[in-house]
Amino acid sequence: MSRRILLNAFDMACVGHQSAGLWRHPSDEGHRYTDPAHWTSLARMLEDGGFDALFLADVLGVYDVYGGSRDAAVRAAAQVPLADPLLLVPAMAAVTSRLGFGVTVSVAYEHPYALARRFTTLDHLTGGRVAWNVVTSYLDSAARNLGRSGQIPHDERYELAEEFLQVCYKLWEGSWADDAVVRDRERGVFTDPSKVRDVGHHGRWFDVPGAFLCEPSPQRTPVIFQAGASPRGARFAGTHAEAVFVSGPSPAVVRRSVDAVRAEAGRAGRDPRSVRIFAMLTAIAGESDEAARATLREYLALTDPEAALALFGGWSGVDLSGASPEQKLEYVQTESTRSALASFTGPDRDWTVGELAEFVTVGGRGPVVVGSGATVADELERWADEADLDGFNLAYAVTPGTMRDVVTHVVPELRRRGRMPAPADAGGPTLRERYGTGDGARLAEDHPGSAHRTLPSRPA
Amino acid sequence: MSRRILLNAFDMACVGHQSAGLWRHPSDEGHRYTDPAHWTSLARMLEDGGFDALFLADVLGVYDVYGGSRDAAVRAAAQVPLADPLLLVPAMAAVTSRLGFGVTVSVAYEHPYALARRFTTLDHLTGGRVAWNVVTSYLDSAARNLGRSGQIPHDERYELAEEFLQVCYKLWEGSWADDAVVRDRERGVFTDPSKVRDVGHHGRWFDVPGAFLCEPSPQRTPVIFQAGASPRGARFAGTHAEAVFVSGPSPAVVRRSVDAVRAEAGRAGRDPRSVRIFAMLTAIAGESDEAARATLREYLALTDPEAALALFGGWSGVDLSGASPEQKLEYVQTESTRSALASFTGPDRDWTVGELAEFVTVGGRGPVVVGSGATVADELERWADEADLDGFNLAYAVTPGTMRDVVTHVVPELRRRGRMPAPADAGGPTLRERYGTGDGARLAEDHPGSAHRTLPSRPA
């Protein structure tokens, strides 16, 4: 069988995620993001349709770089209003049994002791189907409202993230022994106190001397996801990530990120092939190439280019509100935004502002592929092979229509080609087993979290 | 009709909540606390059985005052292991339509910008059935693991809580106008940006200059619950709480807390009768008085007095591990624990350590009433009338058995007596409407949160 392609649906607890303006399409149900039934029916459809996981993005601010104002984003519901993604998972978990759930939470605004409990709770409630997308946050608007004037410097954010994960690993892997919970009714012992250990963490950012509050969940540590594109981000991903989320306009651009992450994993003493790498991509699939192209034309008539540039402003820090479409991107960037733009566009093309605006209008930072199931499958195979990918985070143009079209047209084709397994062979029941990134449901031996399994036992 | 009695089920995301040791009872299902089906079937049973809400306690530490060690609590699963209560609500909300959900979250370890989004998300997902039990935290073990050496001093904790709520009110009530979300597909306007306002908060503890991330939920501000027993706590409750949770061993002791809260509400310019006050109580109900007493004897044979004193140690700060059962409580207390003990026992009785241990063994700090539906209803009416209560937070001896017995035996009796309404007359659909504490689904005009509705509009 050819190399398997993993599929995650990429979504967010908001009206419009990556395709600004498409909330106006008659079939779009993004405005139902506060209705549990919207999420439970989406989750059922994804699970029945062969998706591996639902991946939820998050930010804690608004997109206010474009024109120095949030108005464009607010007007077009571009990631605002926005709900808390963690709270969407329990209802979806209760109506599914195999679908994974990746949730984005920033380490900048949480305390590890409380956040570790949240993820353990979710891992219990889902039976081990949870991933944590570890982010360090990029929006100044979030930092301001959470009581920090401006961001912590970029590299320091990763130092904080390193220590945050160390604390979490100690709590998840080291505090409660596998045989701590004994449930011995006769002796009146639910948990053997000698098998619950203090983690004794004293670091630069956090002091966590005591024991964890939670008994071990199926995966203990959730599957660790990461999305950093910078060199420091790639090093962090190579060290900690079991799954990495990349994006770029061409397989060649994406390949560079993939190679960097796999190299960093090797440098960290891990098997570079054990890291699952997903590219962002929007697939518009239909009965035929022509039908799919007609659908895309429908979408393009409803896009909101100003709101798309508002999203781009937040991602890159670059305000394109004053630029004319013909201007080369090269001339609108400043020293401080050069690397953000370069990681977005890659060095292969000399983009104009207009080209960029058109590119990000549907599907945000990722490419759009359009066509019949066979055509889309061809493109996914080409991307996977040329960029050395393990799968895709598929963004939507409209929700849930885009994912339903993938289920209808693309999944059967990928199965015929041996790129996706039959449901019975998809692996599981935990997400780590489904992704195949660990030692069964637990972290791989060569993952740095595994080192914390050996916290010293206490004399009884 | 006599004055209505409201019923909340009092629970926690753990194995054993208030009745230490009873996880050993063959019918107890507390160990299923990580299984969503445990919670969804409990919620359905409570809703169908006429309960008004499920109230979830929480702590972020272990009970380690007793003997200077957490071992007694860990051994008997006394509130440890413990999961995150917020994450239990979405699955329960998806299978119910009228039951309210009160969730305890401490202001000591959260940021208001992030927590406000969590509650708004829950209020959306439940259709306006959420209450927030605002606590300031009492366990040193939590403070240590969340990066603070010891607690913030008691009165200062309430100052922080005051400001925390101010920030939340501004975000919930003032940032998005009622008519901000217009969903105008023709004009491409989902939200009118001129109707989303910066909250401009700059205080001692928090800086939150910007706008809220969420569109208004059915209740906007969740129903505000509070449980502080100290004079400062009563003042806080009188100012902010729409519902207050009290406990004590007799109606006379409880009455003092009730009077203090209502007086403080009046002093704050609010209608003292608009505050719903709930006492903690455990009801063991059966077919007959004798059947119920036999059930209680079964429970008493399985209690764990050491673990009960471990819970008491955390609540009061008093370590009774060295005391003999005959000792008077008066002689084991120190200056620093005197007020905690006094608020627990009241001045009416001269307790021994043994009496206290027996009292807290089933149902923790609240009384236990035992008997047929008629006998329990008599006691609930007596407590409600003598202590001027609006209802009860009913703790369990075993879960879900204790609540099922209340549904079977007590609720029909209270309905016959006109103390509980038929389901169609219970009010709703929001929890605020069910409790009747506001102006429909919204805060009452005389509630301090309502003052923040008038954040200045911005020129379009």
Side-chain angles (χ1 to χ4, degrees):
Chain A
M1 169 168 158
S2 310
R3 187 163 155 207
R4 178 169 171 181
I5 291 177
L6 295 161
L7 291 187
N8 303 325
F10 188 34
D11 209 321
M12 196 172 192
C14 63
V15 178
H17 180 203
Q18 295 280 331
S19 300
L22 289 189
W23 67 273
R24 294 185 290 167
H25 192 274
S27 77
D28 189 73
E29 300 187 7
H31 64 275
R32 291 183 57 219
Y33 74 103
T34 59
D35 177 356
H38 171 72
W39 296 103
T40 52
S41 74
L42 176 70
R44 276 203 202 93
M45 186 261 281
L46 294 172
E47 173 163 294
D48 295 344
F51 272 79
D52 294 285
L54 171 65
F55 182 104
L56 294 167
D58 192 36
V59 291
L60 263 163
V62 293
Y63 288 75
D64 59 4
V65 170
Y66 180 83
S69 154
R70 64 176 175 253
D71 286 4
V74 166
R75 181 182 51 70
Q79 304 193 6
V80 60
L82 175 62
D84 186 301
L86 282 166
L87 293 165
L88 301 182
V89 174
M92 291 192 283
V95 301
T96 55
S97 60
R98 302 182 306 278
L99 188 71
F101 299 97
V103 190
T104 302
V105 181
S106 170
V107 296
Y109 312 117
E110 299 279 344
H111 193 286
Y113 198 73
L115 187 64
R117 187 175 71 152
R118 284 194 188 107
F119 271 107
T120 295
T121 302
L122 277 187
D123 204 49
H124 278 303
L125 293 176
T126 60
R129 293 185 281 143
V130 163
W132 174 20
N133 179 34
V134 183
V135 299
T136 59
S137 297
Y138 52 85
L139 293 176
D140 277 337
S141 62
R144 283 195 303 274
N145 287 321
L146 284 126
R148 294 195 166 126
S149 57
Q151 304 267 14
I152 303 171
H154 180 272
D155 281 10
E156 210 163 299
R157 262 147 54 197
Y158 277 102
E159 278 172 36
L160 182 149
E162 286 279 352
E163 189 183 329
F164 200 113
L165 280 178
Q166 296 299 328
V167 176
C168 288
Y169 294 150
K170 289 175 185 179
L171 294 168
W172 285 327
E173 301 288 333
S175 185
W176 289 56
D178 284 338
D179 56 353
V181 173
V182 294
R183 290 192 200 165
D184 184 336
R185 291 180 194 242
E186 290 304 310
R187 290 170 51 230
V189 179
F190 189 92
T191 304
D192 179 347
S194 73
K195 295 190 170 162
V196 176
R197 304 139 179 175
D198 288 334
V199 304
H201 181 87
H202 302 283
R204 171 177 173 197
W205 305 87
F206 305 107
D207 267 322
V208 183
F212 195 31
L213 290 173
C214 304
E215 67 181 297
S217 65
Q219 298 186 122
R220 284 187 175 251
T221 297
V223 172
I224 301 290
F225 237 103
Q226 212 267 345
S230 68
R232 184 67 186 86
R235 181 143 59 86
F236 184 87
T239 305
H240 297 282
E242 303 176 77
V244 174
F245 176 28
V246 295
S247 61
S250 72
V253 170
V254 166
R255 177 68 188 241
R256 272 185 289 272
S257 302
V258 172
D259 288 348
V261 168
R262 296 207 196 276
E264 289 288 356
R267 234 166 268 145
R270 299 169 64 205
D271 174 5
R273 312 277 356 143
S274 74
V275 182
R276 301 279 164 262
I277 307 190
F278 297 83
M280 180 169 159
L281 185 146
T282 303
I284 310 291
E287 273 298 330
S288 64
D289 287 353
E290 184 38 46
R293 280 196 295 262
T295 301
L296 178 60
R297 279 193 299 275
E298 248 183 67
Y299 295 158
L300 289 172
L302 293 169
T303 57
D304 191 322
E306 187 189 42
L309 289 180
L311 289 174
F312 182 77
W315 297 328
S316 65
V318 182
D319 176 9
L320 296 175
S321 64
S324 74
E326 300 74 32
Q327 246 179 311
K328 295 280 186 206
L329 271 188
E330 197 185 336
Y331 300 110
V332 296
Q333 66 194 2
T334 65
E335 203 48 51
S336 68
T337 59
R338 191 174 303 273
S339 75
L341 272 179
S343 78
F344 177 82
T345 58
D348 305 336
R349 246 174 88 181
D350 203 5
W351 294 62
T352 66
V353 170
E355 286 166 346
L356 181 93
E358 195 184 322
F359 181 76
V360 297
T361 298
V362 173
R365 278 173 286 190
V368 179
V369 305
V370 192
S372 67
T375 301
V376 171
D378 285 347
E379 274 296 275
L380 295 184
E381 288 193 289
R382 181 175 77 86
W383 272 75
D385 296 343
E386 291 183 14
D388 186 20
L389 296 167
D390 299 281
F392 297 91
N393 275 2
L394 295 182
Y396 67 81
V398 297
T399 183
T402 301
M403 299 305 154
R404 192 180 295 128
D405 290 341
V406 168
V407 164
T408 305
H409 303 293
V410 182
V411 172
E413 185 65 29
L414 288 171
R415 285 191 174 138
R416 267 193 291 279
R417 298 178 186 196
R419 292 289 201 159
M420 282 181 74
D425 302 325
T430 67
L431 182 58
R432 182 167 285 119
E433 289 164 286
R434 187 160 183 140
Y435 279 172
T437 59
D439 180 10
R442 304 284 303 277
L443 283 174
E445 277 300 324
D446 62 8
H447 188 280
S450 295
H452 297 286
R453 286 189 199 150
T454 53
L455 281 181
S457 226
R458 202 184 61 174
Chain B
M1 168 166 157
S2 309
R3 187 162 156 208
R4 178 169 173 182
I5 290 178
L6 297 161
L7 291 187
N8 304 323
F10 188 34
D11 208 322
M12 194 174 194
C14 63
V15 178
H17 180 203
Q18 295 280 332
S19 301
L22 289 190
W23 66 273
R24 293 185 291 167
H25 192 273
S27 77
D28 189 73
E29 299 186 10
H31 63 276
R32 291 182 57 218
Y33 74 103
T34 58
D35 178 356
H38 171 72
W39 296 103
T40 51
S41 74
L42 176 69
R44 275 202 204 93
M45 187 261 281
L46 294 172
E47 173 163 294
D48 294 345
F51 272 79
D52 294 286
L54 171 65
F55 183 103
L56 294 167
D58 192 37
V59 291
L60 263 163
V62 293
Y63 287 75
D64 59 4
V65 170
Y66 181 83
S69 153
R70 66 176 172 252
D71 286 5
V74 166
R75 181 182 52 70
Q79 305 193 5
V80 58
L82 175 63
D84 187 300
L86 282 166
L87 293 165
L88 301 181
V89 174
M92 292 191 283
V95 300
T96 54
S97 59
R98 301 181 307 277
L99 187 71
F101 299 97
V103 190
T104 302
V105 181
S106 170
V107 297
Y109 312 117
E110 300 278 344
H111 193 287
Y113 197 73
L115 186 65
R117 188 176 69 152
R118 284 194 188 105
F119 271 107
T120 295
T121 302
L122 277 187
D123 204 51
H124 277 304
L125 294 175
T126 61
R129 292 184 282 143
V130 163
W132 173 22
N133 178 34
V134 182
V135 298
T136 60
S137 295
Y138 52 85
L139 294 176
D140 277 337
S141 63
R144 284 195 303 274
N145 287 320
L146 285 127
R148 294 194 166 131
S149 57
Q151 304 267 17
I152 303 172
H154 180 272
D155 281 10
E156 209 162 300
R157 263 145 57 196
Y158 278 102
E159 279 173 33
L160 181 147
E162 285 280 350
E163 187 181 331
F164 200 112
L165 281 177
Q166 295 300 328
V167 176
C168 288
Y169 294 149
K170 290 176 185 179
L171 294 167
W172 284 327
E173 300 289 333
S175 185
W176 290 56
D178 284 339
D179 56 352
V181 173
V182 294
R183 291 193 198 162
D184 184 336
R185 289 178 196 244
E186 290 305 308
R187 290 169 50 232
V189 179
F190 189 92
T191 304
D192 178 347
S194 74
K195 296 190 169 161
V196 177
R197 305 136 177 178
D198 288 334
V199 302
H201 180 87
H202 302 283
R204 171 177 173 195
W205 304 87
F206 305 107
D207 266 323
V208 182
F212 195 31
L213 290 172
C214 304
E215 66 181 296
S217 66
Q219 299 186 121
R220 285 189 175 250
T221 297
V223 172
I224 300 291
F225 236 104
Q226 211 265 346
S230 68
R232 184 68 186 85
R235 182 144 55 89
F236 185 87
T239 306
H240 298 283
E242 303 176 78
V244 173
F245 177 29
V246 295
S247 60
S250 72
V253 171
V254 166
R255 177 69 189 242
R256 272 186 288 272
S257 303
V258 172
D259 288 347
V261 168
R262 296 208 196 275
E264 290 287 357
R267 235 164 268 145
R270 299 170 64 205
D271 174 6
R273 311 285 346 151
S274 74
V275 182
R276 301 282 163 259
I277 307 190
F278 297 85
M280 179 168 159
L281 185 146
T282 304
I284 311 290
E287 275 297 332
S288 64
D289 288 352
E290 183 40 45
R293 281 196 295 262
T295 301
L296 178 61
R297 280 193 297 274
E298 248 182 67
Y299 296 159
L300 288 172
L302 292 169
T303 56
D304 191 323
E306 188 189 41
L309 290 180
L311 289 174
F312 182 77
W315 296 328
S316 65
V318 182
D319 176 9
L320 295 176
S321 63
S324 73
E326 299 74 31
Q327 248 179 308
K328 296 278 186 209
L329 269 188
E330 194 185 334
Y331 301 110
V332 297
Q333 66 193 1
T334 65
E335 203 47 53
S336 68
T337 59
R338 192 174 303 273
S339 75
L341 272 179
S343 78
F344 177 80
T345 58
D348 305 335
R349 244 174 90 182
D350 203 6
W351 294 62
T352 66
V353 171
E355 286 166 345
L356 181 93
E358 195 185 322
F359 182 77
V360 296
T361 298
V362 172
R365 277 172 287 189
V368 179
V369 305
V370 192
S372 67
T375 302
V376 171
D378 286 346
E379 275 296 276
L380 296 184
E381 288 193 289
R382 182 175 74 89
W383 273 74
D385 296 343
E386 292 183 13
D388 187 20
L389 296 166
D390 300 281
F392 297 90
N393 274 1
L394 294 182
Y396 66 81
V398 298
T399 183
T402 301
M403 298 306 154
R404 193 180 296 126
D405 290 341
V406 168
V407 164
T408 305
H409 303 293
V410 182
V411 172
E413 184 64 31
L414 288 171
R415 284 192 176 137
R416 266 192 293 276
R417 300 180 185 194
R419 291 289 202 161
M420 283 181 72
D425 302 323
T430 67
L431 182 58
R432 183 168 285 118
E433 288 164 286
R434 187 160 183 139
Y435 279 172
T437 60
D439 180 9
R442 304 284 302 277
L443 284 174
E445 278 301 323
D446 61 8
H447 188 281
S450 294
H452 298 286
R453 287 191 198 147
T454 52
L455 279 181
S457 228
R458 204 183 61 178

